[in-house]
Amino acid sequence: MSVFASLGTLLTTLADRLDPLFGASATAAAIVLFTLCVRAALHPLARAAARGEKARAALAPKIAELSRQHKNDPERLRGAMADLRDKEGASPLAGCLPTLVQLPVFFVMYHVFSTGSGAGDLLDHTLAGAPLDGRWGGALDGQRGLVYLGLFALLAAVATWTYVRARKAARAAAVPSAPGASGLARVLPLLSFGTLVTAAVVPLAAALYLATSTTWTAVERALLLRGR
């Protein structure tokens, strides 16, 4: 059995169990539940990423000192910062691990709900009248429009919260960075709003997975990094 068929079978089984509670929207509820299970399984990676982020924050005074020492030698500054991170075990990529591990799952979800491969009759189901294999199409009126309006509102709220937290963290750190990194640091928080674009072009089922996972990420990071 292919991975696509396995996912379709799993979602069908979950939807059947949830049907008494959610009726026609049982498959959408199954997608949300499946997403929560995936994120719960990835929680140890998120905890490791949070520890790495806290370790990087603790290095801020040392990085500031290196920046003062090598402010006229960008090459030595980059090397010294890399050596410091290696010594302290503070990888700059640690926070990306949960996202990278999720990518194959998101690809499978997108493939199943955009092609129907292994999905069985899942594509015939809806969320409050909006077909799970449908895309936004630009309209925000009618029943389908209300579903997408709610989805976009949730994603916008989460993206704004993530952006504000990221900017506050950056200002609190206030650490001189390697040349060229300051512009990147200003752009990265804006990437959280990319979920709105993604949700507008992928099938509703994949957008539902994205919204659930994004909300989990925001809440999880707030809890793991509280008091930082």
Side-chain angles (χ1 to χ4, degrees), residues 43-59 88-91 94-95 97-98 221 224-225 228:
H43 183 66
L45 283 179
R47 291 182 67 88
R51 287 194 297 269
E53 192 165 338
K54 288 181 179 179
R56 290 194 299 274
L59 292 181
E88 301 293 338
S91 170
L97 283 176
R221 283 182 57 81
L224 290 176
L225 298 176
R228 196 184 79 172

Side-chain angles (χ1 to χ4, degrees), residues 2-217:
S2 71
V3 64
F4 305 117
S6 297
L7 176 60
T9 301
L10 174 60
L11 290 174
T12 298
T13 301
L14 287 174
D16 289 342
R17 300 291 178 84
L18 295 172
D19 185 77
L21 291 175
F22 296 96
S25 298
T27 299
I31 293 172
V32 173
L33 179 59
F34 171 78
T35 305
L36 295 176
C37 290
V38 170
R39 294 310 311 269
L42 295 177
H43 183 66
L45 283 179
R47 291 182 67 88
R51 287 194 297 269
E53 192 165 338
K54 288 181 179 179
R56 290 194 299 274
L59 292 181
K62 295 181 180 179
I63 292 177
E65 179 61 27
L66 289 176
S67 298
R68 285 191 292 269
Q69 290 177 5
H70 306 297
K71 62 181 180 179
N72 296 321
D73 192 339
E75 191 64 32
R76 289 193 63 185
L77 174 58
R78 282 192 291 267
M81 290 174 66
D83 291 342
L84 177 62
R85 291 191 178 105
D86 289 342
K87 179 181 177 181
E88 301 293 338
S91 170
L93 298 178
C96 301
L97 283 176
T99 300
L100 293 176
V101 174
Q102 280 188 85
L103 288 179
V105 180
F106 181 78
F107 168 75
V108 172
M109 294 281 290
Y110 177 80
H111 181 85
V112 167
F113 284 96
S114 59
T115 67
S117 174
D121 65 346
L122 290 177
L123 299 184
D124 298 331
H125 293 265
T126 63
L127 171 60
L132 292 178
D133 64 333
R135 291 171 170 79
W136 172 39
L140 287 177
D141 55 343
Q143 193 68 23
R144 188 186 68 170
L146 291 177
V147 170
Y148 276 97
L149 186 62
L151 187 67
F152 292 152
L154 173 62
L155 288 171
V158 172
T160 301
W161 187 31
T162 300
Y163 173 78
V164 170
R165 284 179 57 85
R167 290 300 300 270
K168 285 183 178 179
R171 285 196 297 268
V175 176
S177 56
S182 59
L184 183 63
R186 287 192 295 268
V187 171
L188 282 178
L190 293 172
L191 295 181
S192 59
F193 292 97
T195 55
L196 286 164
V197 178
T198 303
V201 298
V202 300
L204 176 58
L208 190 58
Y209 173 88
L210 178 65
T212 306
S213 184
T214 301
T215 304
W216 174 290
T217 298

